[in-house]
Amino acid sequence: MILTVDQVRPYILHEDVLVSNAAMEYMAMSRAYRDDAELMPLVIERLERNLNESFHLFHARRFKQTESTIAALVSLLNNPDTKSNYLHHIIQMLSAADLNLLAPYMEQLSQNEEIGVLVDTRQSVADMNDTDLLQTWHSYTDCLQDLSMDTRSTVYETELVEQMATRGCLTAAAVLDKLQEFEQNGYDYDRNPEMSMYFPLAGEMRLEAAIPYLCEALDLEEDDYIPELATEALVTIGTEAVVTHLENQYQGVNSEYYGLYASEIFGRIPVPLSEQAALRLLEADDNLTYSTKLAHSLCVLGSTEGIPAVEAMVRNDDYDRGYLHLGKSLYTCCIMTNTELPELASIRLEIDKEEQIVAARSAELSRLLAGNAKKTAGGKTLPGTGLYDAKPYVAEAKVGRNDPCTCGSGKKYKKCCGSAS
């Protein structure tokens, strides 16, 4: 037995923000938000209730908007009490919303340079006729060899993929021919950078015939970029055929990389078959990281059948803490499934203690950064600061994709706030 969208949705307003964030993750990671107009009003209600909690608003970036939710987001954007990190995610949500819903507000929203640029970028693609769109697709995918990753626009590419899929400008056969070409070239990104466009397109077109190619692309050692694109495409297809192929190949592949991605996907396709596959694989898997990810998938699905196995892993500390805090997953799963565990209170206490440690470290880091900001460009300290004389400022350090997220969620940056960048 797993949770349904209707059962999870109300938990966005749960008093415990940890549970609320788990509900948001369920909706976002499983693509359950696509046609659900009931989600954003709940998100808005939570924001209006409390603008200072650690609510994972980044999950709502692609949630379906309505006229009323757009109006509410615009109001929050102009509210001086809205936190800076919330403002960033609100800008992302507005920029990703239905262009027709944004039209009445564009004169006002264009005053925000970031929103103006992002919406104009999307509009330039949406305004193309089918012939121009197809020509642009071919021109763009052909020139990817000459573009570095930092010069490419995720917003432009996402809009291009979605418009191509919606309008059916390429046939399924044409897309599958390209996937076969990628397979013959060993999914080598240097030879076929257009994979980064065709994989998402196969997902948006819901091409079940693409599943074998996408699953095969999970098993790459050189880089995580292509396997992550394949993961997202498989989740977007989101059918039982994906789950069946994943499980069959999981049992027959000896690579350490395939299981790393496949074990996550089961928790992102909320169908009963995912639960059964994850339960079978968890029982047989002796890889600590994979079993941790399979256990987390069961918790995300709200699998009551999986709770005893996960509880044993948490009790015996038999999981990969470097990947995630499985106690959090178990706790939120038990709350949303109304499952009573004697140790639930102690698990929540442990989570609180760890969050306090993270908060203290974050505050110390902020203090140090604020102190460094007082230094002059020449590296000398201002009188009375007590700060060590350092070298001149050169460049701001960037958060790596695999570094812990700065929001304190405990997840990698690329799986958290970085996913909305």
Side-chain angles (χ1 to χ4, degrees), residues 359-380:
R361 289 174 178 170
S362 179
E364 176 65 11
L365 179 60
S366 298
R367 186 188 68 79
L368 292 173
L369 291 174
N372 287 336
K374 296 179 182 179
K375 298 179 184 179
T376 65
K380 295 181 180 180

Side-chain angles (χ1 to χ4, degrees), residues 28-31 231-232 235 264-270 415:
M29 301 301 281
S30 67
R31 303 293 197 274
T231 295
E232 295 306 317
V235 172
E264 171 189 329
I265 299 175
F266 295 112
R268 298 182 59 186
I269 301 179
K415 295 290 187 181

Side-chain angles (χ1 to χ4, degrees), residues 111-162:
Q111 296 175 17
N112 182 294
E113 184 177 357
E114 184 177 358
I115 293 179
V117 170
L118 294 175
V119 173
D120 285 347
T121 299
R122 292 182 58 214
Q123 194 70 59
S124 68
V125 178
D127 286 344
M128 296 179 189
N129 60 42
D130 289 0
T131 301
D132 290 343
L133 182 65
L134 183 58
Q135 182 178 352
T136 299
W137 173 269
H138 287 306
S139 299
Y140 188 75
T141 54
D142 287 345
C143 79
L144 286 175
Q145 194 80 49
D146 303 319
L147 297 178
S148 61
M149 293 299 292
D150 58 354
T151 61
R152 292 169 59 175
S153 167
T154 302
V155 172
Y156 179 81
E157 293 183 359
T158 299
E159 188 67 27
L160 194 55
V161 166
E162 291 181 353

Side-chain angles (χ1 to χ4, degrees), residues 93-318:
M93 283 188 283
L94 286 169
S95 301
D98 187 307
L99 293 170
N100 292 323
L101 292 176
L102 291 177
Y105 298 92
M106 280 316 300
E107 183 176 351
Q108 178 182 357
L109 291 175
S110 294
Q111 296 175 17
N112 182 294
E113 184 177 357
E114 184 177 358
I115 293 179
V117 170
L118 294 175
V119 173
D120 285 347
T121 299
R122 292 182 58 214
Q123 194 70 59
S124 68
V125 178
D127 286 344
M128 296 179 189
N129 60 42
D130 289 0
T131 301
D132 290 343
L133 182 65
L134 183 58
Q135 182 178 352
T136 299
W137 173 269
H138 287 306
S139 299
Y140 188 75
T141 54
D142 287 345
C143 79
L144 286 175
Q145 194 80 49
D146 303 319
L147 297 178
S148 61
M149 293 299 292
D150 58 354
T151 61
R152 292 169 59 175
S153 167
T154 302
V155 172
Y156 179 81
E157 293 183 359
T158 299
E159 188 67 27
L160 194 55
V161 166
E162 291 181 353
Q163 290 289 341
M164 286 287 293
T166 300
R167 303 192 206 179
C169 292
L170 274 179
T171 63
V175 175
L176 293 171
D177 283 345
K178 290 296 293 185
L179 298 185
Q180 186 175 30
E181 177 188 333
F182 303 152
E183 179 191 38
Q184 291 168 350
N185 290 337
Y187 300 102
D188 185 344
Y189 179 78
D190 291 334
R191 293 181 65 180
N192 295 114
E194 66 270 31
M195 276 191 293
S196 60
M197 299 295 288
Y198 277 92
F199 277 17
L201 181 60
E204 290 294 333
M205 292 175 66
R206 311 295 199 278
L207 295 183
E208 288 196 339
I211 293 173
Y213 299 107
L214 295 170
C215 285
E216 191 174 9
L218 297 177
D219 192 24
L220 299 182
E221 301 181 14
E222 293 80 7
D223 185 24
D224 61 1
Y225 180 55
I226 295 303
E228 286 177 359
L229 287 173
T231 295
E232 295 306 317
L234 288 165
V235 172
T236 303
I237 294 171
T239 61
E240 290 188 346
V242 174
V243 178
T244 299
H245 197 96
L246 279 172
E247 182 180 10
N248 290 341
Q249 192 164 333
Y250 194 106
Q251 295 170 328
V253 172
N254 294 321
S255 165
E256 63 179 291
Y257 297 96
Y258 179 84
L260 195 64
Y261 298 100
S263 54
E264 171 189 329
I265 299 175
F266 295 112
R268 298 182 59 186
I269 301 179
V271 295
L273 194 62
S274 291
E275 177 192 32
Q276 295 307 312
L279 286 168
R280 286 190 290 267
L281 294 172
L282 179 61
E283 184 177 2
D285 205 323
D286 57 2
N287 182 294
L288 192 64
T289 301
Y290 301 170
S291 61
T292 299
K293 297 185 77 170
L294 287 167
H296 176 67
S297 287
L298 288 167
C299 290
V300 171
L301 291 169
S303 168
T304 52
E305 190 175 344
I307 286 177
V310 179
E311 186 275 330
M313 292 172 68
V314 172
R315 175 168 27 87
N316 298 323
D317 202 21
D318 186 23

Side-chain angles (χ1 to χ4, degrees), residues 296-367:
H296 176 67
S297 287
L298 288 167
C299 290
V300 171
L301 291 169
S303 168
T304 52
E305 190 175 344
I307 286 177
V310 179
E311 186 275 330
M313 292 172 68
V314 172
R315 175 168 27 87
N316 298 323
D317 202 21
D318 186 23
Y319 69 94
D320 186 354
R321 278 183 172 266
Y323 173 68
L324 55 74
H325 190 320
L326 192 56
K328 284 186 180 181
S329 309
L330 176 62
Y331 174 79
T332 55
C333 177
C334 287
I335 295 297
M336 287 195 283
T337 58
N338 293 312
T339 301
E340 293 186 7
L341 283 181
E343 58 270 43
L344 213 55
S346 61
I347 291 174
R348 189 65 180 95
L349 183 61
E350 180 189 349
I351 293 170
D352 286 340
K353 289 180 179 178
E354 292 198 6
E355 289 181 342
Q356 289 170 7
I357 293 173
V358 170
R361 289 174 178 170
S362 179
E364 176 65 11
L365 179 60
S366 298
R367 186 188 68 79

